[in-house]
Amino acid sequence: MTDPFPDPATPPARAARLPSAERHSQILDAAVEEFAGRGYAGARMAAVATRADVTKGLLYHYFPGGKVDLFKAAIESCVDPVLQEAERVSAGFQGSGHDLLAALLDLGYGRLASERREHILLRLLLTEADRFPELATLYRTAILEPSLALIGSVIRTGIAAGEFRAGAADEPGLAHVLMAPVVMGSIWRMTLGAEQAPALPMLRDAHLAFALRALAP
Amino acid sequence: MTDPFPDPATPPARAARLPSAERHSQILDAAVEEFAGRGYAGARMAAVATRADVTKGLLYHYFPGGKVDLFKAAIESCVDPVLQEAERVSAGFQGSGHDLLAALLDLGYGRLASERREHILLRLLLTEADRFPELATLYRTAILEPSLALIGSVIRTGIAAGEFRAGAADEPGLAHVLMAPVVMGSIWRMTLGAEQAPALPMLRDAHLAFALRALAP
DNA sequence: CTGCTTATTGACCATTTGGTCAACACCAAC
DNA sequence: GTTGGTGTTGACCAAATGGTCAATAAGCAG
């Protein structure tokens, strides 16, 4: 039995026409959410459309390449902001290596604590990298290597100030070891949830103390 | 055009009847492979069947719960072996804290290097933990906490021998920081592939040197 | 050999899902 | 107002996929 009194005041509610750029980023945001929550295979185009308050067909208007296209665009939209702040902090820093290290660890653990794009990006990279080989390269060039370089410069700052042992700058793998706990902090949080995961302040303090001892002259 | 001479000597090749336990683990192995390679959502039951040289229907005979059932069984089949060897090594060890630490790092980096069940398990836990909350608990109780306990005992061994600073046993988060680089080594390898990932021997050496400095009295 | 149990199959089903497309509506320019 | 371009829709499709089930064959006990 159909409604005998269809409400003429509520026609099927077509979405307002939007400037191309706005819709584009609106859809992109929805896609980031959906992919983050379900992974590539689990994500549904229809769900992306719903999140963006749009119909499925429109997705293919903005991303003609379909799901893959949308996925790559979603990932790239997360890459930019990640290291910008860290590099800004480091570049303008006037102080001891000790303080710079502390500031960067604060920043790292602090940002990873909030459920932001950094977090999502990391998850998608880990989850899908083997099915999208470009992702592996993206991770290496856009995140891993800049991070290692940043750590290297911190170490050199400390050495120049006489706070750290001179040899530290030349030990291969040291930057990796120094970086690992931060990333693991994020991964634990993502895997176990904020309640079960090790507390970030505890990790930060232990990390800092550990690093300073190992870098001492 | 169909074959006018169907070969009567090759009837549809029914799989040999197997003892229940064998088929069970055969299917389980296939499932582990499939889930590891494609994640839960991406894994296809038909593919599991093919890998196991069996038809789809049989999967539901052995795992009446369907895909979820099979998935959980697959994960559980990977949990057991992970820490057994490490705890065996540690338990029977007669030597300095330094040597024990070196031996365990060797073991850790060595095993993670080979694409074995430890590796697969870690990947599945990271990938699916938020969709299967039991997995988070499983990870914490079966892997994370035993690992931390193991590290704690190593530290105490070293302290007892006078090699490590006495305070080290009581610093919360220290075990986490000590463990992180090993896990990250595995994750990098899994994400970037063996070629692009940081070399494991380099990580191990840097890790050991770093830890010994930080633990020194 | 006979009959019972059960491992194994292949065909089948309902649903989901990525993707397509012709029609429609909104806006700007003329 | 008319026209043209395009943002937007809803209905539709083919393929893939998880799952079911009656029929079959293999082993085993009597």
Side-chain angles (χ1 to χ4, degrees):
Chain A
M1 208 194 291
T2 57
D3 187 348
F5 300 106
D7 188 347
T10 320
R14 199 184 184 89
R17 197 189 176 94
L18 238 60
S20 190
E22 260 176 67
R23 263 285 130 78
H24 195 272
S25 77
Q26 191 183 51
I27 292 177
L28 215 51
D29 287 348
V32 168
E33 294 292 324
E34 175 73 7
F35 282 123
R38 310 186 149 251
Y40 178 79
R44 293 157 306 168
M45 295 297 273
V48 174
T50 303
R51 281 185 201 258
D53 273 310
V54 149
T55 44
K56 221 183 12 167
L58 199 58
L59 301 186
Y60 295 87
H61 180 68
Y62 285 91
F63 298 88
K67 200 178 185 183
V68 206
D69 195 2
L70 189 53
F71 180 64
K72 292 180 183 170
I75 293 237
E76 269 157 32
S77 83
C78 295
V79 172
D80 283 349
V82 174
L83 278 178
Q84 284 182 356
E85 194 172 349
E87 274 162 357
R88 208 166 40 70
V89 167
S90 171
F93 202 83
Q94 304 290 346
S96 66
H98 175 140
D99 290 342
L100 176 54
L101 186 57
L104 285 177
L105 286 184
D106 253 9
L107 182 65
Y109 284 102
R111 296 194 80 179
L112 292 179
S114 58
E115 180 72 45
R116 304 193 67 62
R117 296 232 156 160
E118 291 88 338
H119 215 91
I120 292 177
L121 175 61
L122 179 60
R123 137 150 304 177
L124 288 181
L125 287 173
L126 293 182
T127 303
E128 312 291 347
D130 55 342
R131 265 171 302 271
F132 298 88
E134 320 99 85
L135 285 194
T137 305
L138 183 68
Y139 173 57
R140 190 168 50 83
T141 60
I143 301 192
L144 182 56
E145 285 171 359
S147 299
L148 294 172
L150 183 60
I151 295 177
S153 85
V154 175
I155 295 179
R156 279 189 298 276
T157 300
I159 293 178
E163 299 170 273
F164 300 159
R165 4 182 273 279
D170 307 317
E171 292 173 20
L174 197 154
H176 295 84
V177 174
L178 218 39
M179 175 166 83
V182 189
V183 188
M184 279 311 299
S186 170
I187 291 178
W188 278 324
R189 209 175 168 81
M190 159 168 102
T191 309
L192 299 172
E195 305 82 20
Q196 294 192 60
L200 290 180
M202 175 189 79
L203 288 182
R204 184 203 50 199
D205 293 345
H207 189 171
L208 182 60
F210 200 75
L212 290 177
R213 278 186 194 278
L215 289 173
Chain B
M1 209 193 291
T2 56
D3 187 349
F5 299 105
D7 188 347
T10 319
R14 199 185 185 90
R17 199 189 175 97
L18 240 59
S20 191
E22 258 175 70
R23 264 284 131 78
H24 196 272
S25 75
Q26 191 183 50
I27 292 177
L28 216 50
D29 287 348
V32 169
E33 294 290 326
E34 175 74 6
F35 283 123
R38 319 188 65 123
Y40 178 78
R44 293 158 305 168
M45 296 296 274
V48 174
T50 302
R51 281 184 201 260
D53 273 310
V54 151
T55 43
K56 222 181 13 167
L58 197 58
L59 301 185
Y60 295 87
H61 180 69
Y62 284 92
F63 299 88
K67 200 178 184 182
V68 207
D69 195 2
L70 189 53
F71 181 63
K72 292 180 180 168
I75 292 239
E76 268 157 33
S77 82
C78 295
V79 173
D80 282 349
V82 174
L83 278 176
Q84 282 181 357
E85 194 172 348
E87 273 162 358
R88 206 167 41 71
V89 167
S90 171
F93 201 83
Q94 305 289 344
S96 65
H98 176 138
D99 290 342
L100 177 53
L101 186 57
L104 285 178
L105 286 185
D106 253 10
L107 183 64
Y109 284 102
R111 295 195 81 179
L112 292 179
S114 58
E115 181 71 46
R116 304 194 68 63
R117 296 234 155 160
E118 292 88 336
H119 216 91
I120 292 177
L121 176 62
L122 179 60
R123 135 151 304 176
L124 288 181
L125 287 172
L126 293 183
T127 303
E128 313 291 346
D130 55 343
R131 267 173 299 272
F132 298 87
E134 320 100 84
L135 284 195
T137 305
L138 183 67
Y139 172 58
R140 190 170 50 83
T141 60
I143 301 192
L144 181 57
E145 286 170 357
S147 300
L148 294 172
L150 184 60
I151 295 177
S153 85
V154 174
I155 294 179
R156 280 188 297 277
T157 300
I159 294 178
E163 300 169 272
F164 300 158
R165 352 183 283 276
D170 306 316
E171 292 173 20
L174 197 155
H176 294 84
V177 175
L178 260 171
M179 175 166 83
V182 190
V183 189
M184 278 311 299
S186 171
I187 290 178
W188 279 324
R189 208 175 168 80
M190 156 166 102
T191 309
L192 300 173
E195 306 83 19
Q196 293 192 61
L200 291 180
M202 174 187 79
L203 289 181
R204 183 204 49 200
D205 293 345
H207 190 173
L208 182 60
F210 198 76
L212 290 177
R213 278 186 195 277
L215 290 172

